[in-house]
Amino acid sequence: MIKGKCLQCSEFYSLSAQLFDGVLLLGRLQLDAEGVYECSDTGLVFEVSQRVKITYCVLSWSKFSTYLTGSWKFAGPIFDVDCDPSILKSVQFPHSLCLADKDNEVKFSVLHVKNSRGLIEPSADHSGSHVRWNVSSLSPVGPIVQTSKSAEHHGVVQVFKEVGHENSFSFRVYLAGNNCSDIKDIRRAVFGGLTPVIPTRGTYK
């Protein structure tokens, strides 16, 4: 796993861009006993009461943006998690918000999309890297946030080199929040274009 460290809040966080080097959009976990487990690829943390199989996939925030109203904003990736909700007690979702500014009042919740309706549900707790949510039922869920002033996010720089042209040194550079839903949107836009590109290593801060 590739790790980054924020120079402002000193939080260590996983770099979501690595997911897409291997096109890991769908995950499967077989958890053998009661406990708390973290997926090393996505940063998702599952608390379960017994043996269970969990599947999940990364979704795109662009599909669910209309469900957010007022000053609520996306704080991390949105996932569709599938397992027995009576066994899955809580999920911790990674968020990309930098919490270095102690004067900025931060309120985390989750957007829970059920039956084509977006419900804002309270989070149980949060840390510098995760938002914990007690499972009520399972359908697309992702962390959201309200802040008293503009907040900074841990980010990634994605660099794509155009190919197919002799002696081409043309690159595309994209700055995104460090969450795999944002990165998925960018990759879809880039690889859906007409110009062939290949991903290259970017700089992360």
Side-chain angles (χ1 to χ4, degrees), residues 149-162:
K149 56 184 180 179
S150 180
E152 295 184 350
H153 286 256
H154 301 138
V156 294
V157 175
Q158 296 185 85
V159 182
F160 299 86
K161 182 181 185 298
E162 293 189 3

Side-chain angles (χ1 to χ4, degrees), residues 49-186:
S49 60
Q50 64 186 64
R51 177 186 176 93
V52 69
K53 179 179 179 181
I54 299 176
T55 61
Y56 55 90
C57 62
V58 179
L59 302 178
S60 168
W61 269 121
S62 60
K63 181 179 179 181
F64 301 100
S65 60
T66 56
Y67 293 116
L68 280 189
T69 58
S71 58
W72 288 105
K73 297 180 180 178
F74 310 128
I78 182 168
F79 292 90
D80 193 5
V81 178
D82 183 32
C83 79
D84 185 340
S86 67
I87 297 176
L88 183 59
K89 298 169 64 176
S90 71
V91 180
Q92 294 182 45
F93 298 96
H95 72 77
S96 59
L97 207 69
C98 178
L99 302 181
D101 186 353
K102 303 303 181 183
D103 295 327
N104 192 359
E105 296 180 13
V106 175
K107 179 183 179 181
F108 283 103
S109 289
V110 298
L111 178 69
H112 190 186
V113 181
K114 297 193 291 186
N115 301 319
S116 299
R117 294 176 57 220
L119 304 177
I120 295 177
E121 298 184 359
S123 59
D125 195 7
H126 74 270
S127 66
S129 60
H130 285 78
V131 176
R132 185 166 66 87
W133 171 67
N134 292 330
V135 174
S136 55
S137 62
L138 291 174
S139 52
V141 184
I144 57 177
V145 68
Q146 281 181 327
T147 58
S148 59
K149 56 184 180 179
S150 180
E152 295 184 350
H153 286 256
H154 301 138
V156 294
V157 175
Q158 296 185 85
V159 182
F160 299 86
K161 182 181 185 298
E162 293 189 3
V163 297
H165 302 285
E166 187 175 355
N167 299 322
S168 172
F169 294 96
S170 179
F171 291 85
R172 300 183 193 180
V173 180
Y174 296 84
L175 177 63
N178 183 41
N179 82 72
C180 39
S181 292
D182 280 354
I183 295 168
K184 179 178 181 178
D185 283 343
I186 290 174

Side-chain angles (χ1 to χ4, degrees), residues 1-4 13-19 41 155-156 178 183 204-205:
M1 177 189 293
I2 305 173
K3 287 279 189 178
Y13 54 90
S14 302
L15 297 171
S16 296
Q18 68 177 317
L19 293 176
D41 290 313
V156 294
N178 183 41
I183 295 168
Y204 305 86
K205 291 186 177 179

